[in-house]
Amino acid sequence: MDKLSAYTEYKNTSSRWVPRVPAHWQLLRAKNFLQEIDDRSTTGKEQLLSMRQHRGLVPHNDVSNKLIGAEHLIGYKRTHPDELVLNRMQAGNAMFFCSSLHGLVSPDYAVFRLIRDDNPEFLGHLFRSAPMRGLFRSESKGLGTGTSGFLRLYSDRFASLSIPMPPRVEQDQIVAYLRVQDAHIARFVKAKRELIKLLNEQKLRIIDQAVTRGIDLSIKLQPQVSIGWETSQSIGVLLF
């Protein structure tokens, strides 16, 4: 995919976190394209989901050995694919994901359903971007400062935030670009890990050579002598 290029025209905004956006993008309040849903489980038998910073929403049993009975999950919030889930206490730390699963999340999380025909995957990326994290942190209230402390992004404050929104076609293009880049980075990471493995093996060989023959590689090692079981037992007695 071609490298991203700058837009020809931009417009200024009143936000210090996103000071300007492409001229054809809209600035919409979150409440104009997202609706918060409060759908609670009455049985607790649905699959419990956990939120992980580098994996998003995943089955709880995949990341934890702690079993939680259904009776303890009554009142948890239901979520469905293409809905967005926010950890209110970690909004400034990129804990805002598009769900790809049916399941239950913490009753303290906020679950949002799309009102318009937007790309939910794009919104997930947007809400985890650095400018949005800064905006969420500045709008969160509570005790503490920075990335620590008990800060919560309340629903009414989130709903009133102005969010930069490109057209749907452009949202899809951005998502497609990010998927290609993510696959490229994954291949790069895999290659690096394989290289690190080979370098570690080489390091062990160098250590083995150094401690058994020194740094002079011209010195020959004595051939290894095999010993029988009785001889090995005698050596063991002498040692212990």
Side-chain angles (χ1 to χ4, degrees), residues 99-168:
S99 177
S100 61
L101 301 168
H102 296 276
L104 300 178
V105 296
S106 167
D108 193 48
Y109 289 1
V111 180
F112 299 95
R113 186 171 297 163
L114 276 65
I115 297 175
R116 313 186 317 161
D117 181 31
D118 291 306
N119 187 317
E121 190 174 346
F122 166 78
L123 292 176
H125 288 302
L126 173 65
F127 292 147
R128 293 193 303 278
S129 66
M132 290 294 101
R133 296 201 309 269
L135 176 62
F136 294 160
R137 192 173 298 119
S138 68
E139 294 296 326
S140 297
K141 300 299 178 183
L143 300 175
T145 58
T147 59
S148 61
F150 298 95
L151 300 175
R152 182 188 298 270
L153 180 60
Y154 289 95
S155 294
D156 58 338
R157 299 191 73 87
F158 172 73
S160 65
L161 296 178
S162 293
I163 308 296
M165 294 289 290
R168 172 62 193 253

Side-chain angles (χ1 to χ4, degrees), residues 207-240:
I207 293 172
D208 180 61
Q209 290 177 354
V211 300
T212 56
R213 70 176 66 181
I215 59 175
D216 186 354
L217 299 183
S218 64
I219 298 176
K220 293 184 178 180
L221 289 173
Q222 292 291 333
Q224 293 183 351
V225 179
S226 60
I227 59 177
W229 181 84
E230 293 182 356
T231 305
S232 65
Q233 289 294 98
S234 299
I235 293 174
V237 171
L238 291 174
L239 290 176
F240 297 99

Side-chain angles (χ1 to χ4, degrees), residues 7-11 21-27 165-167 170:
Y7 294 93
T8 56
E9 294 185 23
Y10 288 83
K11 60 185 177 183
V21 296
H24 64 286
W25 286 22
Q26 292 180 289
L27 282 171
M165 294 289 290
E170 204 165 329

